[in-house]
Amino acid sequence: MRSPTMSRHLPLHLPVDAVDPDERPSKTQRKKASHELQDLGQALVDLPESRVKDLAIPENLRDAVHEYRRTRTHEGRRRQMQYIGKLMRGVDTEPIRQAVLDMQLGRAKDALALHEAERWRAELVASDDAVTGFLQQFPRSDAQQLRSLIRSARKDAAAHPEQRSGRAFRELFQFIRQSRDDHE
């Protein structure tokens, strides 16, 4: 049996000044980092297979992503995502982050292109002055075909709603998209 005074003199496993509490991340910081890795893991499994295949990631992480995609139950997917987050702790996440950003940027550019084409279509149908602006911005466009498509779209817009086909609007939209793509 030990006396109360002996326990005060027992050596500690680590000296008090050996571990600086400022350098060690707090439990909250560790949990936040873990959740961020899981979120990145979710973005990784949401990438198309062709992009995941080209990434420079370890084989066990690639297998975990494939297993996640095969898993159908909610609990199984939750656990697999935690496992993916755990595997990502030892991986350089920068290529994964870049692949996710590239994918998101591509989607944003596509959406912007659609909105711009819709805007041009509305302006071209509404005003003759817009034709000049369009041809100045996209000089390689066929002006005669553009004017013909605009006339058809205006004629279609003037018809009664039950007589409209929408074909002229679609053709004008496709022409605008093609002109924009040819310009780039």
Side-chain angles (χ1 to χ4, degrees), residues 76-93:
R77 283 182 158 228
R78 185 188 68 78
R79 288 183 181 195
Q80 190 66 21
M81 187 51 62
Q82 285 181 332
Y83 178 63
I84 289 171
K86 179 181 176 183
L87 290 176
M88 289 180 65
R89 288 182 212 154
V91 175
D92 179 22
T93 59

Side-chain angles (χ1 to χ4, degrees), residues 4 11 24 36 38 56 72 80 96 103-104 120 140 142 148 153 175:
R24 188 178 62 199
E36 285 174 358
Q38 282 186 30
R72 295 291 163 225
Q80 190 66 21
I96 298 169
M103 186 70 170
Q104 291 170 344
W120 270 116
R140 288 183 267 172
D142 184 2
S148 173
F175 179 85

Side-chain angles (χ1 to χ4, degrees), residues 40-58:
L40 184 60
Q42 183 64 52
L44 174 64
V45 300
D46 290 343
L47 286 176
E49 181 61 33
S50 59
R51 297 231 180 175
V52 173
K53 183 178 66 172
D54 295 338
L55 282 175
I57 57 175

Side-chain angles (χ1 to χ4, degrees), residues 18-86:
V19 179
D20 187 9
D22 294 334
E23 292 178 15
R24 188 178 62 199
S26 69
K27 184 176 179 181
T28 304
Q29 290 169 332
R30 290 192 314 260
K31 283 179 80 172
K32 182 180 176 194
S34 174
H35 287 294
E36 285 174 358
L37 285 177
Q38 282 186 30
D39 290 344
L40 184 60
Q42 183 64 52
L44 174 64
V45 300
D46 290 343
L47 286 176
E49 181 61 33
S50 59
R51 297 231 180 175
V52 173
K53 183 178 66 172
D54 295 338
L55 282 175
I57 57 175
E59 196 60 37
N60 61 351
L61 181 57
R62 193 179 316 276
D63 292 341
V65 169
H66 292 300
E67 185 63 32
Y68 177 87
R69 290 178 176 165
R70 284 193 303 259
T71 305
R72 295 291 163 225
T73 65
H74 175 74
E75 182 63 18
R77 283 182 158 228
R78 185 188 68 78
R79 288 183 181 195
Q80 190 66 21
M81 187 51 62
Q82 285 181 332
Y83 178 63
I84 289 171
K86 179 181 176 183

